[in-house]
Amino acid sequence: METRELRYFVAVAEELNFGRAAERLGIAQPPLSRAIAQLEHRLGVELLTRTSRRVSLTDAGEVLLEEGRAILGAVAAAERRTRAAAADRPSLVVAAKAGSSGEVLAKLLDAYANEPGAVTVELLLCESNTHVPLLDGRADVALLHEPYDPTTGLDVEVLGTEGQVAVMQAAHPLAGRSPLRMADVSDLPELARWPRSDGTYPDGAGAAVRNLTQLFQLIELGRAVAVLPEVARNGLAEGLVAVPVVDAPQVTTVIAWPPHSRSRALADLVRVATGFS
């Protein structure tokens, strides 16, 4: 397989829509469809199930998506590291979701900067609803949150675990009840909805949100309620409260990196992170 074919397939597999994938790749839809059909023919397997309404992955497609992400990530990382080595400017790209892990990230960067062999660290802040780009080579290491961020195929070290809270206006009827259970909030009509991996939203009347800035503005306006990691209680705007949800899944913060990495700087960063967790 060529990397071009893998890039085409991964785009379609992630978007589950040929039109959106073609737009993302900057090509027309017909040649993209032909390329995927040719790839299936050469492999002798069906990678995608297509109907007039939807596109879905077969079991073989699921495998190729995982393997393809890893391969493309390795290629992109090799290109970036090769250029960095030629420029004699070693660096690490640390990815995190904007608005989350702020305290942990700040402690990590400060502690690593004091290491004798510390290299330049670049930050890659991602939207809250997207996958952190570890397997496509854009980042060397990331702070992720299980069970919300997938870590399959990555090496991870646990940095901490926390419960979850329901964030709402102080005037909300549930604000005075503590603690809450998931059953208390799951049927609220204003419960915010996050997109699935294919970009679609679960059914519900609550606001469809894409990032934390949008979410908190809606909560301040009384238009949304959200269940978030306990750290969300830090720095809440006036008029908002965070009520513990005792049976919500625990959120585990991890530092994650591709298993093929052999970077000494990355190993030092992980050692520093696990040292103060």
Side-chain angles (χ1 to χ4, degrees), residues 41-264:
H41 178 74
R42 192 160 65 256
L43 290 174
V45 299
E46 187 180 51
L47 299 170
L48 301 164
T49 300
R50 308 158 176 85
T51 70
S52 58
R53 293 188 175 183
R54 64 193 298 265
V55 175
S56 59
L57 287 168
T58 64
D59 290 344
E62 293 278 4
V63 171
L64 187 59
L65 174 59
E66 182 176 340
E67 298 287 350
R69 282 171 170 164
I71 292 167
L72 293 174
V75 170
E79 292 176 352
R80 182 168 53 80
R81 290 172 187 144
T82 299
R83 293 191 183 100
D88 196 27
R89 291 196 305 270
S91 64
L92 281 175
V93 179
V94 178
K97 293 191 174 181
S100 65
S101 304
E103 183 178 349
V104 173
L105 184 58
K107 287 173 61 179
L108 172 58
L109 296 180
D110 287 345
Y112 177 69
N114 292 323
E115 288 289 299
V119 303
T120 300
V121 173
E122 302 173 22
L123 284 181
L124 178 60
L125 296 179
C126 310
E127 286 278 9
S128 304
N129 67 304
T130 60
H131 291 315
V132 173
L134 271 181
L135 292 178
D136 68 2
R138 284 185 287 157
D140 298 296
V141 62
L143 295 179
L144 303 178
H145 301 88
E146 298 175 332
Y148 299 113
D149 296 320
T151 57
T152 303
L154 300 172
D155 287 342
V156 301
E157 287 283 352
V158 174
L159 301 184
T161 302
E162 60 187 315
Q164 297 199 72
V165 294
V167 180
M168 63 190 74
Q169 276 193 332
H172 194 281
L174 293 182
R177 292 175 53 183
S178 182
L180 295 172
R181 306 188 72 84
M182 284 300 297
D184 297 322
V185 296
S186 58
D187 291 331
L188 287 175
E190 66 270 36
L191 185 65
R193 294 177 295 137
W194 293 96
R196 304 183 182 96
S197 59
D198 63 358
T200 63
Y201 285 86
D203 294 336
V209 298
R210 301 195 70 84
N211 58 61
L212 290 173
T213 300
Q214 178 192 23
L215 172 64
F216 276 100
Q217 185 171 7
L218 289 168
I219 296 174
E220 290 177 32
L221 293 171
R223 299 298 182 92
V225 171
V227 178
L228 298 168
E230 193 172 353
V231 70
R233 67 170 65 249
N234 297 338
L236 279 182
E238 185 177 353
L240 300 186
V241 296
V243 185
V245 183
V246 291
D247 60 343
Q250 292 279 295
V251 177
T252 301
T253 300
V254 302
I255 186 167
W257 64 96
H260 53 72
S261 176
R262 297 295 181 267
S263 166
R264 174 61 183 271

